[in-house]
Amino acid sequence: MPGLLRGVARTAVVAGTATAVSNRVSRRQAGRWAQQEDQQQASQQAAPPPAAPPPPPGDDMTAKMDQLKQLGDLKAQGVLTEEEFAAQKAKILGS
């Protein structure tokens, strides 16, 4: 009977130790995973959002041409003076 009791006690100690080690490994692994997730989230938040694409050059040039045509029409009608026309033209072409 003492041999049986010693065997059962040894089995209990080994099983308890294995459980403790397994739990410790699981906690450390979960901690590492959480740390990796935090780093991934931080890197995603730190990345600046993509910039809005600039308008296509054709659209901008077309808009400028339309504005210049309107200015030319206003000058031809006598609504704008030469100086006002030149100032507005410089403003459109400068922007």
Side-chain angles (χ1 to χ4, degrees), residues 30-70:
R32 287 180 185 159
W33 287 343
Q35 186 179 23
Q36 287 176 351
E37 287 177 4
D38 290 343
Q39 288 174 351
Q40 288 175 350
Q41 288 176 354
S43 67
Q44 289 174 352
Q45 291 174 353
D59 291 343
D60 188 42
M61 187 59 74
T62 304
K64 287 182 180 183
M65 292 298 291
D66 290 341
Q67 290 176 342
L68 289 173
K69 286 179 185 177
Q70 289 175 352

Side-chain angles (χ1 to χ4, degrees), residues 15-30:
T17 302
T19 301
V21 169
S22 174
N23 287 341
R24 182 173 180 222
V25 168
S26 295
R27 281 192 305 270
R28 285 175 55 196
Q29 192 172 25

